[in-house]
Amino acid sequence: MDDISVYKQYFAADCNYNGRQRHAAQVLLTASSSEGIIRYEVSVSFFPHDDPEDFAVSYDAIAAETLYEAKGRRSKKREAVFMEGIRESADQLAEQLGGIIFWDKPLIEARYG
């Protein structure tokens, strides 16, 4: 299975998970392709970010949702639709973890692949 990072960005956030305060969140949109099946997934991972240089993502505070899975291949048009709703999807995932993403406080520029 080939994974492609369609979108990746870090934001300031607030979440207390497993007794550890998290101050940042990684938001991802990935595309996975295998044997003619394409799958798009959005995920949110909260991490400590105790220091401005610390971007070590911990993978215990993560939630993910499959947005699409079917026969086919990667589609820029489909990805544009997913990007339009990524904040809403990520907010729902963040809520499941008891966290909030501060969309107006990006920690890095968006990366597109």
Side-chain angles (χ1 to χ4, degrees):
M1 179 145 330
D2 295 326
D3 290 340
I4 300 164
S5 179
V6 176
Y7 166 79
K8 177 180 182 178
Q9 192 166 12
Y10 299 138
F11 294 91
D14 186 45
C15 181
N16 190 316
Y17 194 85
N18 279 344
R20 179 79 160 94
Q21 192 63 38
R22 318 303 170 107
H23 304 286
Q26 173 183 249
V27 179
L28 293 168
L29 175 64
T30 56
S32 301
S33 177
S34 178
E35 299 178 8
I37 303 292
I38 185 76
R39 180 171 56 98
Y40 286 95
E41 181 178 88
V42 64
S43 64
V44 172
S45 180
F46 288 97
F47 60 100
H49 193 60
D50 293 327
D51 177 288
E53 301 298 317
D54 179 18
F55 286 91
V57 177
S58 53
Y59 289 97
D60 63 338
I62 188 168
E65 174 186 18
T66 299
L67 301 175
Y68 180 86
E69 186 170 6
K71 286 189 176 193
R73 56 184 180 209
R74 189 172 174 196
S75 163
K76 295 290 185 182
K77 189 183 271 187
R78 188 178 301 123
E79 289 172 7
V81 171
F82 295 146
M83 286 303 300
E84 286 176 14
I86 196 162
R87 288 186 178 195
E88 183 179 325
S89 296
D91 282 340
Q92 290 172 357
L93 294 171
E95 188 177 319
Q96 291 174 15
L97 296 168
I100 185 168
I101 301 166
F102 302 120
W103 296 104
D104 59 336
K105 296 179 181 177
L107 299 175
I108 64 166
E109 293 294 316
R111 297 180 184 162
Y112 299 94

